[in-house]
Amino acid sequence: QLQASGGGLVQAGGSLRLSCAAPGGAFTRYFMAWFRLTPGNQRDFVAGVNSGGTTSYADSVKGRFTISRDNSRNTYLQMNDLKPEDTAVYYCAARYGPYRDDAREYNYWGQGTQVTVSS
């Protein structure tokens, strides 16, 4: 039900913008988040935003990534100053309720989009 896009290959220091399209309707009230898959196959929280625009970030991306939403259908992750360690498959996710950084708390997931940062 969520459609993620915008991944690609970029050099270190570069930027990418990920997009996530939701069906609309009730999803405008959901908490939206981005996760990324670790080498150990765990989904780590990257950033999240509630319907009021309040944002949360993992320490590793603070000051470099910005999450936003337009409260119709779309959530975005602007990624600046990318580093090789940001390389991962990124997933958008949604949950009905407040902020959580545990992937198990999310009910809806998009397909992953690959982000590769070369050094």
Side-chain angles (χ1 to χ4, degrees), residues 1-98:
Q1 288 180 304
L2 305 179
Q3 297 291 329
S5 61
L9 172 64
V10 65
Q11 289 187 329
S15 298
L16 282 173
R17 189 194 199 204
L18 305 183
S19 298
C20 177
F27 278 91
T28 60
R29 299 190 296 274
Y30 279 49
F31 188 90
M32 301 298 297
W34 288 94
F35 287 79
R36 60 189 180 189
L37 197 64
T38 70
N41 267 346
Q42 289 190 331
R43 296 189 182 189
D44 278 357
F45 177 82
V46 175
V49 59
N50 67 14
S51 59
T54 301
T55 57
S56 304
Y57 296 95
D59 288 343
S60 59
V61 306
K62 280 180 183 175
R64 301 188 298 121
F65 290 12
T66 302
I67 189 170
S68 61
R69 65 191 295 173
D70 59 18
N71 272 338
S72 58
R73 295 183 60 202
N74 302 303
T75 302
Y76 307 100
L77 185 68
Q78 178 66 42
M79 304 185 294
N80 298 330
D81 189 23
L82 281 160
K83 303 177 180 181
E85 52 264 43
D86 295 318
T87 295
V89 177
Y90 285 71
Y91 295 87
C92 63
R95 71 181 304 273
Y96 187 72

